[in-house]
Amino acid sequence: MITRSIYIGNPAYLKLKDEQMKILCPETKVEKGSISVEDLGLLMLDHFQITISHQLIQKMMGNNVVVISCDAHHLPHGIMLPLYGHTEHSDRIKDQLEASEPLKKQLWKQTVECKIENQKEVLKRLGNYYEPMIDYQNNVKSGDITNMEGIAAQHYWKYLISLDFLRQRFGDSPNQFFNFGYSVLRSIVARAIVETGLLPVLGIFHKNKYNPYCLADDLMEPYRPFIDLLVMQWLETNPETEELTKEFKAFILQIATKDVKIGDKTRPLLVAVKTTATSLYKCYTGEKRTISYPELI
């Protein structure tokens, strides 16, 4: 089922009625809109005067809706997910914990190869210099011990934006557009991981005691170029803007329904990430040897 991504950037009172999320004016209590909770995949709250009922929160958690809360700078600051989203939760975590290091190194190799492939495709589509990316992809080793991911990234960002561009979390424009998009993507991937019955904190490569979403940071890597392409499309039509406008956020939230191809099937990204997370679990159990990652279409 294709779910919807909803952005709320004005004062609002959100409550549950008749299995619907009702959006009301907080002063007059006049209904401004409604949507079935079953149709929700992602809800972004971007105003300090938004009030949400606990009953609605519980209903959304029961339907694996990811709720994103934005800070004073209108950037995603936190996400709310159910503690578990699968009936075999404990068994799946056991398999996740028992995954061997050689297996995780091979899975990370696959992840980096797919990320570089999709980055190469972005450059190619934009008519930029992409040829060295082929060699970087072909030289990825188990565990990416030669850091082909980092080497490819240096080339990628230079020819995606400019030769002097530095990709940083708090860097100059247009970093803020990519940062916002990646935050949304990370939330979507975390949702799929929980729904699959795995722990987001246990990564296959990323390890950080301060990071509760290491596995999401792993699995989202091959999906980042999809955000990059959206951001570049936005910048092409809005070359002068440096603000994270409501229009930009609504544009980026389309990512959940963008078509991506995995194998011979095309599906919305929100569905595709669940396929990726499920395939990872099957790699843990030995049913599969490769993670099902997307390719740009």
Side-chain angles (χ1 to χ4, degrees), residues 228-242:
D228 300 340
L229 202 54
L230 267 186
V231 171
M232 295 306 293
Q233 291 170 0
W234 174 265
L235 293 176
E236 184 179 358
T237 55
N238 301 270
E240 302 301 322
T241 182
E242 292 189 4

Side-chain angles (χ1 to χ4, degrees), residues 1 6 19 22 32 51-52 72 74-75 84 93 95 115 121 128 144 148 169 177 189 202 212 217 227 263 296:
M1 181 181 71
I6 301 296
E19 306 299 306
K22 300 290 184 177
K32 298 294 185 179
T51 302
I52 183 168
H74 306 287
L75 289 170
Y84 57 89
I93 289 175
D95 292 325
K115 178 183 181 180
E121 188 61 29
N128 297 344
D144 191 25
M148 285 297 111
R169 184 176 179 185
F177 297 110
V189 175
L202 296 177
D217 290 340
I227 291 289
L296 284 162

Side-chain angles (χ1 to χ4, degrees), residues 186-202:
R186 191 181 195 225
S187 302
I188 292 172
V189 175
R191 172 187 183 267
I193 290 169
V194 170
E195 195 175 4
T196 304
L198 301 174
L199 282 177
V201 71
L202 296 177

Side-chain angles (χ1 to χ4, degrees), residues 13-59:
Y13 172 54
L14 311 180
K15 71 173 186 177
L16 181 70
K17 184 178 180 181
D18 300 328
E19 306 299 306
Q20 303 268 322
M21 180 181 76
K22 300 290 184 177
I23 306 171
L24 309 178
C25 172
E27 295 180 353
T28 65
K29 297 299 185 287
V30 173
E31 185 176 322
K32 298 294 185 179
S34 67
I35 180 175
S36 170
V37 176
E38 288 187 353
D39 292 339
L40 264 177
L42 182 149
L43 174 65
M44 177 172 284
L45 307 177
D46 189 17
H47 200 286
F48 287 163
Q49 290 179 281
I50 295 175
T51 302
I52 183 168
S53 73
H54 187 249
Q55 185 182 27
L56 175 58
I57 292 174
Q58 289 300 303
K59 188 68 176 179

Side-chain angles (χ1 to χ4, degrees), residues 7-219:
Y7 169 83
I8 300 179
N10 295 310
Y13 172 54
L14 311 180
K15 71 173 186 177
L16 181 70
K17 184 178 180 181
D18 300 328
E19 306 299 306
Q20 303 268 322
M21 180 181 76
K22 300 290 184 177
I23 306 171
L24 309 178
C25 172
E27 295 180 353
T28 65
K29 297 299 185 287
V30 173
E31 185 176 322
K32 298 294 185 179
S34 67
I35 180 175
S36 170
V37 176
E38 288 187 353
D39 292 339
L40 264 177
L42 182 149
L43 174 65
M44 177 172 284
L45 307 177
D46 189 17
H47 200 286
F48 287 163
Q49 290 179 281
I50 295 175
T51 302
I52 183 168
S53 73
H54 187 249
Q55 185 182 27
L56 175 58
I57 292 174
Q58 289 300 303
K59 188 68 176 179
M60 289 192 294
M61 293 301 97
N63 282 272
N64 291 317
V65 178
V66 56
V67 181
I68 305 175
S69 175
C70 294
D71 61 18
H73 301 286
H74 306 287
L75 289 170
H77 184 67
I79 63 176
M80 181 181 292
L81 292 165
L83 283 175
Y84 57 89
H86 197 279
T87 54
E88 300 174 359
H89 186 62
S90 59
D91 283 347
R92 295 198 166 206
I93 289 175
K94 181 174 178 289
D95 292 325
Q96 184 181 7
L97 287 168
E98 292 177 350
S100 68
E101 285 302 316
L103 171 62
K104 289 190 282 188
K105 287 181 179 181
Q106 281 299 312
L107 296 178
W108 181 242
K109 177 179 183 289
Q110 297 170 23
T111 303
V112 172
E113 288 173 334
C114 186
K115 178 183 181 180
I116 296 175
E117 168 64 26
N118 287 340
Q119 287 177 324
K120 180 198 74 177
E121 188 61 29
V122 170
L123 293 178
K124 189 175 181 180
R125 289 190 184 190
L126 297 176
N128 297 344
Y129 181 43
Y130 70 90
E131 284 82 359
M133 301 292 282
I134 299 172
D135 287 335
Y136 301 146
Q137 181 184 12
N138 291 335
N139 284 290
V140 179
K141 308 297 183 185
S142 178
D144 191 25
I145 56 174
T146 54
N147 193 29
M148 285 297 111
E149 181 194 20
I151 295 171
Q154 291 180 20
H155 175 94
Y156 178 69
W157 290 107
K158 284 181 180 179
Y159 290 94
L160 183 69
I161 306 297
S162 66
L163 294 178
D164 59 351
F165 176 75
L166 294 177
R167 171 72 192 111
Q168 295 174 329
R169 184 176 179 185
F170 301 107
D172 296 333
S173 186
N175 273 291
Q176 70 274 24
F177 297 110
F178 294 104
N179 293 339
F180 181 87
Y182 295 154
S183 294
V184 173
L185 177 61
R186 191 181 195 225
S187 302
I188 292 172
V189 175
R191 172 187 183 267
I193 290 169
V194 170
E195 195 175 4
T196 304
L198 301 174
L199 282 177
V201 71
L202 296 177
I204 56 178
F205 174 77
H206 285 91
K207 297 178 178 66
N208 188 328
K209 66 179 181 180
Y210 304 108
N211 181 4
Y213 296 106
C214 290
L215 186 56
D217 290 340
D218 288 330
L219 296 189

